[in-house]
């Protein structure tokens, strides 16, 4: 895991606590990855749906914050659909990209989670 002074810890401490690492930070793309560990699993050893929501909310909010010139932003709608589970040990890649960047509202923002299965 990253050190306490890592980029992730400075930007979003809850993501840091579950082991998420940023790869790209811009107004057009916020991306990174997370290895599914016991810190982010349900008792059945699959990624907790709340962690998916945390990733979606955090990455979309960070992208909106950058896009609006680092002003305060707030999300007002979040919807999560799970099409495939990620199991303990899998690598999850998360990417948020804006579909529309407006002057006062940036909605919707898409988040894709890609799972790279352990071998």
């Amino acid at each position: 895991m990253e050190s306490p002074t890592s980029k992730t810890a400075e930007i979003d401490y809850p993501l840091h606590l579950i082991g998420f690492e940023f790869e790209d930070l811009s107004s057009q793309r916020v991306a990174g990855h997370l290895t599914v560990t016991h810190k982010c699993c349900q008792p059945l050893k699959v990624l907790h749906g709340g962690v998916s929501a945390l990733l979606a909310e955090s990455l979309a909010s960070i992208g909106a914050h950058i896009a609006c010139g680092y002003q305060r932003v707030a999300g007002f709608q979040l919807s999560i659909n799970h099409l495939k589970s990620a199991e303990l040990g899998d690598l999850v890649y998360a990417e948020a990209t804006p579909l529309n960047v407006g002057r006062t509202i940036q909605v919707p923002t898409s988040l894709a989670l890609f799972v790279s299965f352990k071998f």
Side-chain angles (χ1 to χ4, degrees):
M1 183 173 301
E2 299 175 329
S3 70
T5 58
S6 72
K7 181 172 29 173
T8 303
E10 292 173 13
I11 295 168
D12 193 303
Y13 199 70
L15 290 181
H16 168 74
L17 290 175
I18 60 170
F20 186 83
E21 295 181 37
F22 285 106
E23 296 174 7
D24 189 22
L25 288 164
S26 73
S27 62
Q28 294 301 308
R29 182 173 177 263
V30 178
H33 64 274
L34 166 75
T35 299
V36 180
T37 66
H38 290 288
K39 289 182 180 182
C40 53
C41 275
Q42 296 179 2
L44 297 175
K45 296 188 171 96
V46 295
L47 183 67
H48 194 288
V51 172
S52 299
L54 173 65
L55 290 169
E57 179 71 23
S58 295
L59 273 60
S61 293
I62 290 167
H65 180 66
I66 295 168
C68 73
Y70 298 95
Q71 296 179 43
R72 184 177 177 188
V73 297
F76 59 86
Q77 198 273 334
L78 178 66
S79 178
I80 304 292
N81 294 297
H82 296 98
L83 304 177
K84 185 159 182 66
S85 63
E87 298 178 355
L88 185 65
D90 287 347
L91 180 67
V92 174
Y93 178 78
E95 178 180 299
T97 56
L99 297 177
N100 180 45
V101 177
R103 188 174 57 81
T104 58
I105 295 177
Q106 299 177 28
V107 73
T109 299
S110 66
L111 176 80
L113 296 177
F114 304 98
V115 179
S116 175
F117 299 103
K118 60 186 174 296
F119 296 98

